[in-house]
Amino acid sequence: MKTLLFITLLAALAVIALCYESHESMESYEMTPFINRRKANNFMSPQQRWRAKHQERVRERTKPTHEIHREACDDYTLCSRYAFIHGYSAAYNRYFRQQRNI
């Protein structure tokens, strides 16, 4: 009888411990997953936004040549299809290197 009472007590404690709903579990039940524009603009300070834009401009200017070739090949459908089979360097050489030599 004592063991049955002990097992029942342990089972009740396990149910209470495992079924507890914390605040973190309620986050998925929010009304809307989107935030309004005012809160979105306040997410980053103006200085951080300026710094991010500046870094993006620097990255655009200092792209490696293979990335520039890949973007040029992505814009041209035949080149991108050829790149899917043979690779971007071979596709760029086939479609764009020949134009420079002419």
Side-chain angles (χ1 to χ4, degrees), residues 6-22:
F6 183 70
I7 291 174
T8 307
L9 183 64
L10 280 178
L13 287 174
V15 166
I16 291 171
L18 295 175
C19 294
Y20 171 72
E21 277 198 42
S22 64

Side-chain angles (χ1 to χ4, degrees), residues 11-39:
L13 287 174
V15 166
I16 291 171
L18 295 175
C19 294
Y20 171 72
E21 277 198 42
S22 64
H23 176 66
E24 289 84 20
S25 66
M26 295 300 289
E27 288 178 357
S28 62
Y29 299 117
E30 293 177 354
M31 292 304 230
T32 176
F34 304 106
I35 59 175
N36 63 17
R37 290 180 181 174
R38 193 169 287 170
K39 286 184 181 179

